[in-house]
Amino acid sequence: MDGNRRWAEARGLPVALGHKAGAEAVRRTIEACVQQGVGWLTLFAFSSENWLRPADEVKALTGLLRLYLRSEVATFAKEGIRLRVIGDRARFGTETVREIDQAEAVTAGGTRLNLNVALSYGARAEIVAAAQAIAAAAREGRLDPDAIDEASFARHLFTADMPDPDLIIRTSGEQRLSNFLLWQAAYAEFVFQDVLWPDYGAEHLARALRDFGRRERRFGARTG
């Protein structure tokens, strides 16, 4: 979800207001996914690299994340939206971790939309952590190294038991993965849209889904 800062700067507004407008775009996009029948949505809300931003911006952004959790969880539960957070949540502190755990528990019964929010997430760190866990299990005799395959490796990722993404949408004109779901995106389709994230809405999502629907997905195999 790119472009919050640029959106605010173009309007002479504080960056924090750009992130606030971005949160409204999150709400619109979630509603649009429910209406379109999308079963899984993963939002890259805060990367592991975002901790390197100016301290006041990090404070504003993490504060907004906590506020969003508190204000939206009841709606998620009511609307059948299951929330899960992937990433190094411990970096946000005990209070925020407790709120995340509570939000996940309250929404655990949702079946209309599986909403994953990537917080303090970095795909390289995720892969390294999975490799470390596998190495520790092998060292302790709980895992046969010869039995390691793609499926067993994937079970050690944050996204264990979740489907790989079919479509990745990148906003604001950027055309790179930026350390997002590197393992899981092996056969994902990509749509790049020039719109800044705070301006994102149902029409942009619908356009991306139409584009995706025209694609022929071969997963590395030949057809015909």
Side-chain angles (χ1 to χ4, degrees):
M1 302 182 289
D2 303 298
N4 291 351
R5 174 189 288 272
R6 277 170 283 172
W7 185 92
E9 290 176 344
R11 290 160 175 77
L13 300 172
V15 174
L17 290 183
H19 292 312
K20 186 175 184 296
E24 294 297 325
V26 167
R27 182 178 291 109
R28 292 194 301 271
T29 302
I30 291 172
E31 292 173 354
C33 283
V34 171
Q35 293 169 1
Q36 292 275 3
V38 173
W40 291 82
L41 172 65
T42 300
L43 299 172
F44 200 1
F46 191 92
S47 74
S48 52
E49 291 81 12
N50 285 159
W51 292 107
L52 302 176
R53 291 187 177 187
D56 58 342
E57 183 178 352
V58 171
K59 182 178 180 180
L61 187 52
T62 54
L64 181 61
L65 290 170
R66 288 193 298 270
L67 178 63
Y68 189 83
L69 282 174
R70 294 167 187 165
S71 64
E72 296 298 321
V73 66
T75 299
F76 289 166
K78 180 180 178 181
E79 297 296 328
I81 298 171
R82 181 179 183 180
L83 173 68
R84 279 178 281 195
V85 170
I86 61 173
D88 184 11
R89 65 180 69 185
R91 289 196 66 176
F92 288 98
T94 303
E95 181 180 352
T96 301
V97 170
R98 183 166 53 248
E99 292 180 358
I100 291 172
D101 291 343
Q102 182 178 2
E104 289 180 328
V106 168
T107 64
T111 58
R112 293 183 70 193
L113 175 67
N114 290 279
L115 173 62
N116 303 321
V117 179
L119 296 177
S120 191
Y121 173 85
R124 285 183 172 181
E126 176 188 29
I127 292 170
V128 168
Q132 290 173 333
I134 290 172
R139 184 174 61 248
E140 295 164 7
R142 295 183 286 108
L143 177 66
D144 178 4
D146 291 334
I148 299 171
D149 57 13
E150 291 184 10
S152 62
F153 189 91
R155 286 194 291 271
H156 290 82
L157 298 172
F158 290 129
T159 54
D161 301 320
M162 301 179 188
D164 288 341
D166 293 306
L167 171 65
I168 293 179
I169 301 171
R170 187 78 197 249
T171 61
S172 81
E174 302 291 353
Q175 298 189 20
R176 59 181 182 273
L177 266 177
S178 294
N179 203 17
F180 180 58
L181 298 179
L182 297 179
W183 173 280
Q184 299 88 338
Y187 285 103
E189 298 290 327
F190 290 81
V191 168
F192 303 104
Q193 296 180 304
D194 289 334
V195 59
L196 298 178
W197 178 250
D199 292 325
Y200 205 82
E203 69 279 9
H204 301 99
L205 178 68
R207 195 175 304 137
L209 293 176
R210 286 196 299 270
D211 188 340
F212 171 76
R214 292 191 291 266
R215 309 272 179 98
E216 179 186 359
R217 305 185 72 200
R218 295 185 296 275
F219 300 96
R222 294 184 63 184
T223 59

